[in-house]
Amino acid sequence: MTIAIIGAGNMGGAVLAGLLEAGHSPESVIVVEAREEQAAALREKHGIRTLPATDAAAEADVVVLAVKPYGVVPVLQSIASALREGTTVVSLAAGVPTSAMEPAVPDGVSVVRVMPNTPALVGEGMSAVAGGAKATPEAVAAAADLMGAVGKVVTVPESQIDAVTAISGSGPAYVFLVAEAWIEAGVHLGLTRDDATTLVIQTLTGSAKLLESGTHPAILREQVTSPGGTTAAALGALEKGGLRAAFLEATRAAYVRSQELS
Ligand SMILES: NC(=O)C1=CN([C@@H]2O[C@H](COP(=O)(O)OP(=O)(O)OC[C@H]3O[C@@H](n4cnc5c(N)ncnc54)[C@H](OP(=O)(O)O)[C@@H]3O)[C@@H](O)[C@H]2O)C=CC1
Ligand SMILES: O=C(O)[C@@H]1CCC=N1
């Protein structure tokens, strides 16, 4: 299967690196990048080919669109004549519905929307897949397989993609912001920045692994919280600071923004 990735920036680059790491051969991956300097760097680093968009589209079985949302329909229009019947177009863009993309591609080309996240770079991505009205079940399965190489995959109705964007698409940034603030808090308490960083990252990693065991987060939290102890004091401060309300508001803002982008 030949995969063309159009736009190898933060997200497209993460999928590219994740696919290669997962064992996709560099010969089977074509990248389209607007700037030759960036294309040359990718050829050098990954041993993949770079081609103009129409040549890549003509050769690919799956075309992954990882340009900014406003670029999606113009790029599709520019490659439409090159797309072969049976090709699957996978859009990673936030906010662009399949109903806006399908009119830009010829009949027989399936459009599938995927909302991934950047941990795909290390094979720990989270992707939600939704087929457009004209997508074949095989195309939806191909998109799920592709993203399965770089992490977990769920299939959702397209009406839920904005919610997925707010939860897992943007989600890594919430974790990184918390990590940043948490490390800085350690420095405020007199730890070296290196030690604070190690303590926070390992606490996040260990806690994520405990969560993966399937125990409910509330139970795991209770196991840390001694009555009248240090954790209860900290959690009280976080609740007073409006942590839960802030999460509701933040994810609602991302959801609304995702709808606006369409
Ligand atoms: N970043 C993330 O965490 C996530 C992003 N997404 C979605 O992924 C998409 C890309 O986002 P992100 O990676 O952050 O953005 P970036 O700006 O990092 O990447 C976009 C890339 O596309 C290139 N590009 C732009 N136009 C073209 C074109 N016509 N042909 C080929 N390449 C082109 C850009 O090149 P240049 O820099 O030269 O303009 C850039 O390298 C967006 O639609 C976003 O909604 C989805 C989930 C998560
Ligand atoms: O911020 C954004 O719009 C993109 C979509 C999800 C993550 N990054």
Side-chain angles (χ1 to χ4, degrees), residues 69 92-94 115-116 165 168-171 257 261:
L92 308 185
M115 180 44 56
T165 305
S168 56
S170 296
R257 184 65 191 134
L261 287 173

Side-chain angles (χ1 to χ4, degrees):
M1 186 170 77
T2 301
I3 301 159
I5 299 177
I6 304 189
N10 289 309
M11 197 58 245
V15 171
L16 168 66
L19 286 175
L20 295 174
E21 185 64 31
H24 275 262
S25 73
E27 296 80 45
S28 68
V29 182
I30 308 168
V31 170
V32 180
E33 253 300 323
R35 281 177 296 129
E36 174 47 30
E37 188 190 50
Q38 167 74 348
L42 291 167
R43 284 195 301 271
E44 170 88 6
K45 183 170 179 198
H46 297 295
I48 46 93
R49 286 183 294 149
T50 60
L51 286 176
T54 46
D55 295 348
E59 212 179 300
D61 301 300
V62 177
V63 175
V64 179
L65 287 177
V67 298
K68 295 286 189 200
Y70 58 78
V72 167
V73 171
V75 166
L76 275 180
Q77 286 165 340
S78 74
I79 62 170
S81 62
L83 290 167
R84 288 177 288 116
E85 196 173 329
T87 303
T88 300
V89 169
V90 175
S91 168
L92 308 185
V96 184
T98 54
S99 60
M101 294 183 265
E102 282 180 334
V105 302
D107 285 345
V109 170
S110 292
V111 177
V112 181
R113 213 171 143 189
V114 170
M115 180 44 56
N117 66 14
T118 54
L121 182 63
V122 290
E124 294 288 351
M126 182 67 243
S127 299
V129 173
K134 295 186 192 161
T136 63
E138 292 77 19
V140 177
D145 270 3
L146 180 80
M147 299 313 292
V150 294
K152 288 197 176 157
V153 178
V154 292
T155 303
V156 297
E158 190 174 355
S159 58
Q160 292 185 352
I161 285 277
D162 292 321
V164 169
T165 305
I167 298 300
S168 56
S170 296
Y174 314 155
V175 176
F176 301 138
L177 179 65
V178 167
E180 208 184 318
W182 196 351
I183 289 166
E184 217 44 38
V187 172
H188 277 252
L189 293 176
L191 296 170
T192 64
R193 187 160 270 107
D194 274 0
D195 281 350
T197 303
T198 304
L199 294 176
V200 167
I201 292 174
Q202 179 55 22
T203 302
L204 279 168
T205 307
S207 305
K209 287 196 173 144
L210 276 180
L211 280 166
E212 271 190 334
S213 71
T215 309
H216 193 280
I219 293 175
L220 293 170
R221 178 176 51 73
E222 279 174 14
Q223 288 168 353
V224 190
T225 314
S226 311
T230 61
T231 315
L235 294 177
L238 285 172
E239 296 287 11
K240 197 170 162 205
L243 182 80
R244 281 174 207 263
F247 257 88
L248 283 176
E249 211 172 306
T251 49
R252 174 67 54 182
Y255 176 77
V256 168
R257 184 65 191 134
S258 183
Q259 290 181 324
E260 282 169 3
L261 287 173
S262 68

